Amino acid sequence: MHRTPSRTKNNTSQMENVLEFQKLENIEGVNSVDQINLILRQKKQNCDCALLLLLLSNLLLWEKASSIPACMAEKSGCWNPRMETFDSAIRKAETLRTVANQFYVELYHNQFSSGKFATLTSKLVRRDEIVFRAASHCHSTLTNPPNKGIQYITIEIPEYLKTLINYVGAWISPLFHLVIELSAMKDVPETILSKAKEIEENNRQILRDLRWIITEVYPTSKKKENFPSWELLSFLKSSSRNSKFLAMFNLSHCLEYDTQFFLFHLRILKCRITGKDC
């Protein structure tokens, strides 16, 4: 018996629906009969199959993209705030070391201070007790991170971080008052004042970065800070210019030395904590 054309057409249509149903079942994200029926009804109502396939394709692409972390799209991978903070602190320490050296040279050669510094240098050669101490004793040595042998490798990291925080923090008050006193002096050159401000700002930001790092890496660690006092602070605040320049003499010598070690210890800590740039 021959099948009627309408019967053949219906059977063909049903078979197409079954095949379409099976295809849709295999699509990730289309996981219910209701979803499949809705798509098939839309397909039946709309003869533009290309549009339907485009919509389904976009759906699958969207689902695939949403399952991948956004940071994977970046060449360098996910942003690492710990690494970024270390890199930021190191960049500031590099700037600090450079500007501290320029400040040291400027005080010796600028007309504003060169005469006073020449007199202090002459007294230093003669082993004047007060000047000799100003040139050789740095208040920050009370908090010096380990510099001998392999101490900076064997010291526990939390203790290392705290020591460096106190080392950098030892300069917060002296630099703050240096900027205030220089700003109040009428004849201070802008080249000296601007360098003092840049040194103070970078030192303060390095301390901020170190505080964030210890909170991030050791959130339960006791964060007691113990910044040593600067014994020549009263000299810097004195109305006597000789006293002020003696304080600057001490500060410039010690800062030029200490900023080299800020950078050294930051790099060692980055290596020990992140395992990078060792």
Side-chain angles (χ1 to χ4, degrees):
M1 181 170 60
H2 296 286
R3 293 177 180 175
T4 62
S6 60
R7 175 84 175 222
T8 302
K9 182 178 180 179
N10 288 338
N11 286 343
T12 303
S13 177
Q14 289 175 359
M15 182 58 68
E16 288 176 350
N17 286 341
V18 169
L19 293 174
E20 195 69 37
F21 189 92
Q22 290 174 341
K23 290 178 182 178
L24 291 171
E25 279 189 311
N26 292 327
I27 296 177
E28 183 180 355
V30 180
N31 51 19
S32 70
V33 174
D34 290 339
Q35 285 179 300
I36 293 172
N37 285 335
L38 176 61
I39 292 173
L40 289 175
R41 284 199 301 271
Q42 290 175 339
K43 185 176 185 297
K44 185 176 180 180
Q45 292 170 1
N46 191 342
C47 294
D48 193 351
C49 297
L51 177 60
L52 178 60
L53 291 175
L54 178 61
L55 290 173
L56 289 174
S57 175
N58 286 342
L59 174 63
L60 293 176
L61 288 173
W62 180 84
E63 286 185 354
K64 185 175 182 62
S66 65
S67 66
I68 301 174
C71 60
M72 292 300 291
E74 301 294 334
K75 291 182 179 180
S76 58
C78 296
W79 177 63
N80 187 329
R82 191 178 299 178
M83 283 286 293
E84 176 60 28
T85 304
F86 263 116
D87 290 341
S88 172
I90 289 171
R91 287 193 298 270
K92 295 183 185 82
E94 289 172 340
T95 300
L96 181 57
R97 181 185 62 176
T98 299
V99 179
N101 180 261
Q102 293 171 350
F103 182 72
Y104 176 85
V105 173
E106 187 82 16
L107 287 173
Y108 269 93
H109 293 91
N110 194 288
Q111 185 178 355
F112 164 74
S113 50
S114 60
K116 294 291 185 182
F117 270 57
T119 300
L120 290 168
T121 302
S122 176
K123 289 183 177 181
L124 178 62
V125 172
R126 297 196 303 268
R127 306 286 290 187
D128 179 275
E129 185 178 345
I130 295 176
V131 178
F132 180 79
R133 180 171 175 80
S136 59
H137 175 75
C138 300
H139 73 291
S140 57
T141 57
L142 297 173
T143 61
N144 269 4
N147 292 323
K148 297 179 181 178
I150 59 171
Q151 288 180 338
Y152 55 83
I153 298 176
T154 58
I155 187 175
E156 294 293 329
I157 295 178
E159 188 62 30
Y160 197 175
L161 265 171
K162 292 175 187 177
T163 303
L164 188 55
I165 285 173
N166 286 327
Y167 189 43
V168 174
W171 285 100
I172 292 295
S173 176
L175 292 173
F176 172 77
H177 288 286
L178 173 68
V179 171
I180 290 177
E181 295 302 322
L182 284 175
S183 299
M185 297 176 75
K186 294 181 181 179
D187 55 344
V188 62
E190 180 59 30
T191 53
I192 288 179
L193 180 58
S194 63
K195 285 180 176 63
K197 289 179 178 179
E198 189 172 2
I199 290 168
E200 192 273 336
E201 175 67 17
N202 277 278
N203 182 79
R204 184 162 44 83
Q205 289 187 12
I206 291 170
L207 179 62
R208 182 195 62 191
D209 287 341
L210 286 171
R211 283 169 169 166
W212 185 91
I213 289 169
I214 196 170
T215 300
E216 168 71 13
V217 179
Y218 301 103
T220 60
S221 176
K222 294 182 179 180
K223 305 174 185 65
K224 185 178 180 180
E225 296 177 345
N226 185 22
F227 301 159
S229 59
W230 182 38
E231 64 184 46
L232 291 178
L233 179 58
S234 60
F235 284 68
L236 181 67
K237 297 168 72 174
S238 171
S239 58
S240 166
R241 285 180 69 88
N242 287 336
S243 296
K244 283 183 181 296
F245 280 106
L246 178 65
M248 292 182 202
F249 186 74
N250 168 259
L251 186 150
S252 61
H253 274 262
C254 294
L255 192 63
E256 202 269 339
Y257 176 84
D258 283 2
T259 53
Q260 298 179 45
F261 286 99
F262 287 179
L263 184 57
F264 172 80
H265 291 294
L266 280 169
R267 286 171 172 166
I268 294 296
L269 271 170
K270 178 184 177 182
C271 169
R272 292 193 62 186
I273 291 175
T274 69
K276 302 293 184 181
D277 300 332
C278 296

